[in-house]
Amino acid sequence: MSKEEKMAADDGRTQAHTVVITSLNTLARIVEQEGRDASWRAKLGNERKGIGDFACFVSYITGISNR
């Protein structure tokens, strides 16, 4: 990608990461409110790259499962 293309893509990636992080935090709160184990959220951490990798993994597994 050119520098301009990368900068344009970065905004979308940042927004996508924020949505995933917010969704994971919400899911963890709901799981905890139901008295279930949400320790997976702490283990996942707060590093955006790691969370993005996790989201890609979930997308990959979902795609393969739906074939």
Side-chain angles (χ1 to χ4, degrees), residues 7-65:
M7 287 175 61
D10 281 349
D11 286 339
R13 287 180 44 225
T14 297
Q15 289 175 352
H17 277 212
T18 300
V19 168
V20 168
I21 292 167
T22 300
S23 297
L24 289 171
N25 290 339
T26 300
L27 178 60
R29 278 194 306 275
I30 292 167
V31 168
E32 287 174 341
Q33 287 172 355
E34 292 178 353
R36 298 180 6 218
D37 180 23
S39 62
W40 53 268
R41 182 60 189 94
K43 290 177 186 174
L44 187 55
N46 292 311
E47 181 186 339
R48 293 177 76 83
K49 183 183 182 321
I51 292 171
D53 290 346
F54 174 73
C56 288
F57 176 74
V58 170
S59 178
Y60 165 75
I61 295 299
T62 302
I64 294 297
S65 296

